[in-house]
Structures are given as C-alpha cells and as structure tokens.
Amino acid sequence: IPYVVEMGFTHIEFLPISEHPYDPSWGYQTTGLYAPSARFGDVDGFARFVDGAHLAGIGVLLDWVPAHFPTDAFGLAKFDGTALYEHEDPRLGFHPDWNTAIYNFGRREVTSFLVNNALFWAERYHIDGLRVDAVASMLYRDYSRKSGEWIPNADGGRENWEAVAFLRDMNREIYSQHPGVFTIAEESTSWPGVSAPVSDDGKSGGLGFGFKWNMGFMHDTLQYMARDPLHRKHHHGEINFGLVYAFSENFVLPLSHDEVVHGKGSLLTKMPGDDWQQFANLRAYYAFMWGYPGKKLLFMGQEFAQRREWSEARALDWDLRNARSHEGIRNLVRDLNTVYREKPALHARDCEAEGFEWLVADDATNSVFAWLRKAPGAKPIAIVANMTPIARAPYRVPLPHDGRWCEIINSDAHDYWGSGLGNLGGVVAKDGAA
C-alpha cells in the first residue's frame, strides 16, 4: 500500500480473489464466489487490507466473474444432480473457449445468487468497485461458436437478453444500494450503451456500467508502437481512429495482464529497436496514454518496465529497480500520476468530447500528434507526441492562447533515463502557435 501511495495511483485492482481450484486460471475460473481465496490469507486479513488501503486514500477494485464457472464436482456444476446453475443444453450452457459452464441467467434463483454476490463484496468488505470479466461472452449466444452450435433467442437473434437483464439488475442494485461504488465492463464488441444508464423500469436503456474497458485502444496503440518508427507514418490512422469513438462510452484505457502472457512478451519487449530505443518508446507511449482521454490502468510491473512476461508462479523482478533505465520509467509513471491528479484538464472531462480538441491530427509524415485537454475553470494542457526518434525542431504547434506555456512533463528528460532534449521549461506562443 505505501508503494501504491508513493506512485500516486488512486486504486488497486485485484485479479479475481474468489476461491478457485486452478492457479494458472488466475482466479477467472472460480468455484467459491463468496469466499476470498485461502491461498492469500484469511478473510479477516483481506478485510484489514481493504481498510488499510482506505486509510491511505486508496480504493480497492475486484475482478468479478459472473459469466461462467468450472465444472469441478465440488463446485456448482450439477449441484443437486441436475443443471441447477447452468443450462442443460451445452449449446447454451457450455463455454467452448474455457471448457466451463455458463450460468442460466434466465433463472431467477441464479441471477439472485449472482446479484447478491456483487452486493456481498461491497457490504462485507467495503470494496469500491467491480470490474466484470468477459461481458461480451455473456451478451451473445453465438460467442465463439460456429453455426449450429448455438440456439437463437425467441426473436431469432444472437443477443442473450436474459444476460442483459441480469447485468442491468446487477448495476442498478450496486449503484442504488452502495453510492460511490462503481462497475467496469470488460466488453470487446460495439454493443451500444455499455456505460449508459438503465431506464427507470430496468428494461431498456444501457447496461448501466460506470465504465467500459477500451480494448480497441489497447490493441491499436500497441500495434502502432510495435512498428519500426520509420514505418509509423504509414499507420497514422491506428492512433487517429480511436479518437473517433473515444467518447461513445466512459472508457478505461487498460494495459492488462492479457497483453503480457502466453508468448506476447512484456510491454518493454514489444517496443522496437535496441535497449535504449525500447525504453524511449515505452516512455513516449506512457506519456501519450496519460494525455489521452480515458482513465488509466496498468498491470503490475509495467510501472517499472518488467522485462519478463508475467507468471503467477513467480514474483515480479523487483531487482530491476536497481537499473537507472527501469527506475526512470517508474519515476515517469509516478510523475504522470501526480500531474494527472493535480491538473483537472487531464481528468475532469476524460469521458466528454468537450474536454478534447485536436491541434495536429494529420502530420503522418512526421508521426506527430498534438491535442488539447480542457476542463471548466482550468488552464488547458497541450499534449504533443513525437513517435519517431528524430527531433522535430523547429516545429509549429497551434495553441489557443498566446504567451508562455510551461513544460510539465518531458518523457525524454534525464530523470527518466532520456537524452534530455526538451523545451528548456516551456515555449512562448505568438499569433496562435509556438
């Protein structure tokens, strides 16, 4: 907790802590939704942890898995000898990707069990939010299934309206009974209104989540950053496209565990070039991300540029902090968090188009992006990203106000193991540009 406070983060999000039989599932195949896993300590210990985090001003979020459950005999599968929690028909009740059972969301007892579990974590342990896993797999009856392997709904469509009703009920109960607690959806499709309110009768409107993971941001920007900087000018749209839909939902920008496992490498090793260039790319990427509209989420170890892939079988490589290159990344993330929290222009309108304005959107030749972040009553902040190792000086950036603009973050600063090339503390705008 002191480390999180020192780094300037606002919340800790746990991978699922509910009891689960298989370590490599990372908790995403749970058999005991109401039980914090004994592998991490006792229930009182978890309660103390949450209380300690709150005393330090840190919120606690849990990954929560109401989409499916493992078929172990000691779990919920065939609980009374029949398909009690799941569907009898495997076309509805079996998930082919994970070899797990799917909850029968059309059964009142099952949805009551799940909704009450969501409330349980807020009531018993005072957690501050739930990130709901695999929402897309719940919304579509044909998710990851071939023709003939799924059953259409009563209207002949692919939507799972029972799951939709459950998610709306869950969100309405959370927000009505526990003001201040919020929910986040991991939803990878373009289902409309994931973070839009549910109607008063609970039967229409959005799904009612507070936020939605922006999976498109993660995919497109990492794909862009993995390219040789020489070739990025041909893929400018991989960055621009995300700003087309950036305000269609209340987005969280996730750099999650899924991107640093199963042969994908770490964030650092995804970057092109030699060691110095990889660090420079990663610093530029983090500064770009913190200036981009949306809330920010890093998986553990990314704040100091973990080199190895993550594994549940070993600790993070904390000894890397002895290297100036890695400590430079950590110092940058700490300072980005500080600036993000202290400057309303960077966070107050993360989910509103009024808080964003393009300054330079079409300079593909130089791979330069620039935009303005704004908030009522706050000074605007210009974000300028040069995604090549070539110093662009002089370079004209349009700015809305003449006068001196102070440089508050430079990802190439010596303190971050950069080359030290910057703007000597600021620039002076004249005639609408600097």
Side-chain angles (χ1 to χ4, degrees):
I1 293 174
Y3 177 76
V4 173
V5 172
E6 177 200 350
M7 288 298 296
F9 289 106
T10 60
H11 293 77
I12 299 170
E13 179 180 330
F14 282 101
L15 298 181
I17 65 164
S18 296
E19 195 58 84
H20 53 280
Y22 185 51
D23 284 352
S25 79
W26 312 325
Y28 289 99
Q29 295 192 15
T30 180
T31 51
L33 277 176
Y34 285 80
S37 176
R39 53 171 61 76
F40 305 125
D42 60 21
V43 295
D44 292 334
F46 178 64
R48 287 193 300 271
F49 182 94
V50 176
D51 286 346
H54 288 165
L55 287 171
I58 301 297
V60 178
L61 313 178
L62 297 184
D63 274 16
W64 186 57
V65 190
H68 62 114
F69 59 93
T71 57
D72 300 81
F74 51 81
L76 297 178
K78 301 286 186 182
F79 191 72
D80 64 351
T82 69
L84 192 65
Y85 286 87
E86 69 273 41
H87 290 274
E88 182 70 45
D89 193 320
R91 292 176 296 174
L92 294 170
F94 186 75
H95 202 295
D97 282 356
W98 304 307
N99 292 324
T100 52
I102 299 171
Y103 288 103
N104 182 350
F105 300 111
R107 190 165 191 170
R108 183 178 301 175
E109 298 90 340
V110 173
T111 57
S112 177
F113 170 81
L114 293 171
V115 170
N116 278 289
N117 182 245
L119 297 173
F120 164 84
W121 291 104
E123 292 170 0
R124 181 67 63 87
Y125 294 104
H126 307 155
I127 60 97
D128 301 284
L130 294 172
R131 177 266 195 187
V132 184
D133 182 63
V135 171
S137 75
M138 302 167 68
L139 295 175
Y140 300 97
R141 288 169 170 251
D142 64 344
Y143 184 88
S144 201
R145 296 178 187 273
K146 300 175 183 177
S147 178
E149 294 179 349
W150 60 284
I151 300 176
N153 60 36
D155 301 317
R158 57 198 287 254
E159 301 87 356
N160 188 336
W161 295 119
E162 293 83 3
V164 169
F166 157 68
L167 292 170
R168 286 171 172 165
D169 288 346
M170 181 273 298
N171 281 316
R172 290 182 77 202
E173 292 298 327
I174 283 283
Y175 281 95
S176 64
Q177 295 194 36
H178 297 281
V181 176
F182 59 93
T183 58
I184 307 167
E186 185 214 10
E187 203 284 309
S188 54
T189 75
S190 56
W191 185 283
V194 172
S195 58
V198 183
S199 64
D200 289 340
D201 64 5
K203 296 181 180 179
S204 60
L207 296 182
F209 286 93
F211 296 93
K212 171 182 171 173
W213 270 21
N214 191 337
M215 311 293 279
F217 169 87
M218 181 166 61
H219 175 271
D220 291 349
T221 59
L222 285 177
Q223 180 173 272
Y224 178 87
M225 293 304 299
R227 300 185 187 281
D228 187 309
L230 182 67
H231 300 145
R232 287 175 181 165
K233 61 185 177 182
H234 303 299
H235 303 276
H236 208 66
E238 290 176 347
I239 300 298
N240 284 3
F241 178 65
L243 276 309
V244 173
Y245 64 85
F247 307 104
S248 61
E249 300 274 6
N250 299 330
F251 278 125
V252 173
L253 311 180
L255 294 178
S256 74
H257 62 284
D258 283 328
E259 295 305 312
V260 292
V261 293
H262 299 325
K264 294 180 182 179
S266 66
L267 288 188
L268 181 66
T269 59
K270 292 180 192 294
M271 302 296 140
D274 60 22
D275 202 53
W276 192 93
Q277 290 172 322
Q278 286 182 319
F279 277 97
N281 272 287
L282 187 58
R283 291 193 307 270
Y285 181 52
Y286 281 166
F288 161 88
M289 176 178 169
W290 259 249
Y292 195 100
K295 305 306 177 187
K296 328 301 176 191
L297 176 68
L298 283 185
F299 187 60
M300 57 185 179
Q302 293 174 350
E303 81 281 3
F304 61 80
Q306 168 89 4
R307 284 185 182 271
R308 292 193 293 176
E309 279 194 347
W310 177 70
S311 170
E312 79 286 346
R314 60 175 182 258
L316 297 175
D317 297 327
W318 292 103
D319 59 301
L320 292 176
R321 287 192 53 195
N322 295 320
R324 287 186 57 223
S325 52
H326 290 274
E327 193 68 354
I329 293 281
R330 194 185 79 94
N331 290 340
L332 173 63
V333 172
R334 179 200 62 206
D335 292 352
L336 286 170
N337 281 340
T338 299
V339 169
Y340 180 78
R341 294 180 70 162
E342 292 179 350
K343 305 292 184 182
L346 289 177
H347 66 255
R349 285 191 161 175
D350 259 337
C351 304
E352 302 171 43
E354 293 80 6
F356 176 90
E357 179 184 338
W358 274 114
L359 298 175
V360 179
D362 56 358
D363 189 4
T365 301
N366 293 312
S367 298
V368 169
F369 305 87
W371 59 77
L372 210 62
R373 296 297 307 278
K374 302 176 289 183
K379 292 181 179 180
I381 294 177
I383 313 298
V384 184
N386 173 17
M387 294 305 192
T388 70
I390 302 170
R392 308 293 182 186
Y395 190 92
R396 184 181 185 276
V397 176
L399 291 170
H401 306 295
D402 287 351
R404 182 170 175 79
W405 288 66
C406 296
E407 182 180 80
I408 55 176
I409 288 285
N410 173 15
S411 69
D412 200 34
H414 284 307
D415 286 348
Y416 309 139
W417 206 60
S419 66
L421 183 64
N423 297 286
L424 300 177
V427 297
V428 176
K430 184 179 179 182
D431 299 327

